[in-house]
Amino acid sequence: MVELKTDTSIDAMYEAGQVVARALTAARQAAAVGVSLLELDEVAHGVLREAGATSPFLGYRPSFAPTPFPAVLCVSVNDAIVHGIPGRYRLRDGDLVSIDFGAELGGWVGDSALSFVVGTPRAADLRLIETAERALAAGIEAAVVGNRIGDIAHAIGTVCRGAGYGIPDGFGGHGIGRRMHEDPGVPNEGRPGRGMRLRHGMVLAIEPMVIAGGTDGFHAAPDGWTLKTNDGSRAAHAEHTVAITESGPRILTAR
């Protein structure tokens, strides 16, 4: 069941989204050669504490997970696509890093992600990240009243496939509101004109993921959480929480 949010609720979700934006910005600024993933998690945790917000990630345990998620920030490095658990690994020159973060404030949730390179970037990694961001922008542009979920999915998939990249099968965006994951699902590939019609008050987390090697296969790491590319190639992830409104898409996690 899809809950349509009131304009007042969307404003409240914007406040939660801005906590997310600040945390991602702080973690991105702290990321440097020699910094551990645990240190990035602590930076994000500090933003939560300052805002009086809580984490929808910490302790989260969906059906596929062997254990509750132990951190507030997902940090996925190089061939890790999403759901990376922050540990003692210290960032190295040229690492491709994707960070995903959520915050709950006043009973509403925001969720966003970005990818970047630490130190000296490879041209191929910059192209991968730019494609994920361009796919996100295309998905947001399609998130207008009267369109359908399939229009968002088609816009994202067209950008990703057009660049020659793989798309992890079965993973994509989702509705968001009082809970981090709500209906409807938002695939990263699909047919235009299909699926649920978009209405004012729907709020979606739109999140393309791209695999550099061009294949779609992935597997779970031994921790049961981190999803890694089967071909060992690098991956990038971009995400925003977006409200569908009569005046156009409103990005609630804009940085």
Side-chain angles (χ1 to χ4, degrees):
M1 179 179 174
V2 175
E3 177 195 359
L4 298 180
K5 280 72 176 177
T6 65
D7 292 346
T8 300
S9 296
I10 290 172
D11 287 342
M13 289 191 71
Y14 176 81
E15 296 304 319
Q18 289 309 290
V19 177
V20 175
R22 292 197 297 273
L24 287 176
T25 298
R28 170 68 183 91
Q29 290 173 344
V33 174
V35 173
S36 75
L37 306 190
L38 281 172
E39 289 174 288
L40 297 185
D41 186 69
E42 182 50 39
V43 167
H45 214 152
V47 174
L48 278 180
R49 286 192 292 265
E50 246 179 57
T54 58
S55 171
F57 288 16
L58 183 63
Y60 181 59
R61 188 179 183 182
S63 58
F64 68 80
T67 57
F69 196 76
V72 302
L73 186 70
C74 292
V75 190
S76 306
V77 180
N78 296 332
D79 63 338
I81 307 167
V82 287
H83 303 162
I85 296 175
R88 297 185 183 281
Y89 178 83
R90 293 189 177 277
L91 293 169
R92 300 171 184 172
D93 187 54
D95 277 346
L96 195 166
V97 182
S98 298
I99 52 177
D100 188 356
F101 183 79
E104 182 175 346
L105 182 70
W108 296 101
V109 179
D111 187 10
S112 183
L114 66 114
S115 296
F116 56 89
V117 177
V118 173
T120 308
R122 304 178 188 179
D125 289 343
L126 294 180
R127 178 173 175 266
L128 186 70
I129 293 167
E130 186 272 336
T131 300
E133 292 174 346
R134 192 157 44 89
L136 175 59
I140 293 171
E141 187 176 354
V144 297
V145 171
N147 269 2
R148 295 182 180 270
I149 292 291
D151 295 312
I152 298 175
H154 178 71
I156 292 170
T158 297
V159 172
C160 297
R161 296 297 187 192
Y165 296 136
I167 300 171
D169 185 42
F171 279 84
H174 48 88
I176 185 170
R178 293 287 186 184
R179 292 174 291 111
M180 181 166 57
H181 292 122
E182 298 183 352
D183 292 333
V186 186
N188 285 330
E189 192 168 30
R191 297 175 64 181
R194 299 296 182 92
M196 182 177 293
R197 191 174 295 279
L198 304 179
R199 299 169 60 190
H200 179 91
M202 292 175 67
V203 182
L204 307 174
I206 300 173
E207 52 177 324
M209 307 158 197
V210 285
I211 297 174
T215 61
D216 299 348
F218 62 89
H219 61 277
D223 62 26
W225 273 99
T226 309
L227 301 184
K228 308 191 81 172
T229 62
N230 282 350
D231 61 9
S233 67
R234 294 186 169 198
H237 178 204
E239 178 183 19
H240 272 309
T241 295
V242 180
I244 313 297
T245 79
E246 293 289 355
S247 57
R250 181 182 178 188
I251 303 173
L252 305 182
T253 47
R255 292 182 289 276

